[in-house]
């Protein structure tokens, strides 16, 4: 089930799966969900271009980190003006990215919280469809603030909005209420 804060309307799954269960769920997510749904992948490609257009309005070049990068599909859409880094807990997704994309040396398998990046290293960190999946979003934000360069940018994109029209209409039947995948539901 989901709980809601009466003060800020933040919604979270309760109880939350154990970390090991979540890791099992995301093991081979790329094959079960991403690559097996061709039509959704084509639609996602269009979303990627919209999000890159949004990002490149304020960021023209630099080192970028995509946390929850899956197989690197979003990163590959950025021009070569960007040095691309990605991390994901799905080992097969990272293997796919390393096999198919030229920035493969910068793709890492594991939890973002377990990697030590240099302070002030990245010009941008991207959480695209990611923050609602993580157990401890506050720890992610704190770590990101340390690895972002001065004037670096944090982009949180493709995150379900619990105040959206569809969430209000469908309520508990909203298709983005997924108690395993979407642990946290943020509003603007």
């Amino acid at each position: 089930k989901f709980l809601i804060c009466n003060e800020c309307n933040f919604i979270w799954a309760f109880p939350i799966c154990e970390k090991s269960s979540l890791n099992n769920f995301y093991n081979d997510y790329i094959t079960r969900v991403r690559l097996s749904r061709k039509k959704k992948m084509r639609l996602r490609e269009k979303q990627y271009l919209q999000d890159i257009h949004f990002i490149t309005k304020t960021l023209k070049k630099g080192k970028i980190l995509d946390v929850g990068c899956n197989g690197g599909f979003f990163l590959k859409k950025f021009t070569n003006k960007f040095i691309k880094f990605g991390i994901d807990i799905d080992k097969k997704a990272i293997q796919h990215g390393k096999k198919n994309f030229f920035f493969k040396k910068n793709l890492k398998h594991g939890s973002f919280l377990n990697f030590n990046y240099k302070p002030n290293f990245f010009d941008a960190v991207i959480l695209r469809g990611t923050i609602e999946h993580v157990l401890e979003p506050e720890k992610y934000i704190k770590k990101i603030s340390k690895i972002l360069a001065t004037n670096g940018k944090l982009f949180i994109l493709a995150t379900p909005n619990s105040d959206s029209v569809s969430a209000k209409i469908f309520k508990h039947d909203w298709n983005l209420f997924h108690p395993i995948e979407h642990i946290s539901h943020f509003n603007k």
Side-chain angles (χ1 to χ4, degrees):
K1 61 184 169 181
F2 289 91
L3 302 176
I4 186 166
C5 174
N6 290 328
E7 291 181 26
C8 69
N9 293 327
F10 178 74
I11 300 168
W12 67 98
F14 183 83
I16 296 173
C17 288
E18 296 288 326
K19 191 180 284 190
S20 61
S21 297
L22 285 174
N23 288 342
N24 285 337
F25 177 81
Y26 287 111
N27 184 39
D28 199 22
Y29 189 82
I30 188 171
T31 305
R32 282 186 297 106
V33 177
R34 290 292 168 101
L35 298 177
S36 66
R37 299 177 182 169
K38 304 286 185 207
K39 182 180 178 184
K40 192 164 186 175
M41 280 298 285
R42 285 192 303 274
L43 293 172
R44 194 178 300 274
E45 294 279 323
K46 291 179 182 181
Q47 292 174 328
Y48 290 164
L49 296 176
Q50 291 173 342
D51 288 344
I52 287 172
H53 177 73
F54 175 77
I55 289 170
T56 56
K57 283 182 179 180
T58 59
L59 189 70
K60 305 298 181 194
K61 63 180 181 173
K63 293 184 289 264
I64 57 174
L65 172 64
D66 184 3
V67 178
C69 70
N70 194 260
F73 304 105
F74 181 58
L75 282 171
K76 85 171 185 176
K77 299 290 184 189
F78 283 89
T79 69
N80 290 336
K81 292 180 182 178
F82 293 91
I83 302 168
K84 306 163 194 177
F85 295 79
I87 187 166
D88 201 280
I89 62 171
D90 182 350
K91 187 175 186 177
K92 289 187 180 178
I94 294 301
Q95 289 170 345
H96 176 86
K98 287 184 177 217
K99 180 180 175 186
N100 291 290
F101 304 128
F102 70 90
F103 50 90
K104 60 188 171 190
K105 68 179 169 91
N106 293 337
L107 293 175
K108 305 292 182 199
H109 167 251
S111 169
F112 169 69
L113 295 177
N114 293 337
F115 279 87
N116 292 318
Y117 293 102
K118 293 177 186 173
N120 306 308
F121 186 73
F122 292 104
D123 298 294
V125 175
I126 302 163
L127 300 174
R128 188 185 185 288
T130 302
I131 197 161
E132 68 273 15
H133 294 262
V134 302
L135 287 171
E136 301 168 299
E138 305 90 1
K139 287 185 178 180
Y140 275 63
I141 301 301
K142 285 179 183 175
K143 184 165 186 162
I144 289 167
S145 70
K146 292 176 183 171
I147 62 174
L148 272 176
T150 304
N151 298 319
K153 311 258 186 246
L154 168 60
F155 294 98
I156 301 176
L157 306 164
T159 301
N161 178 353
S162 61
D163 280 340
S164 69
V165 172
S166 61
K168 289 178 180 179
I169 290 172
F170 293 106
K171 299 182 179 149
H172 62 277
D173 291 327
W174 186 36
N175 67 348
L176 293 173
F177 273 134
H178 192 289
I180 295 173
E181 287 185 65
H182 295 169
I183 296 166
S184 301
H185 289 273
F186 298 90
N187 57 33
K188 42 185 179 175

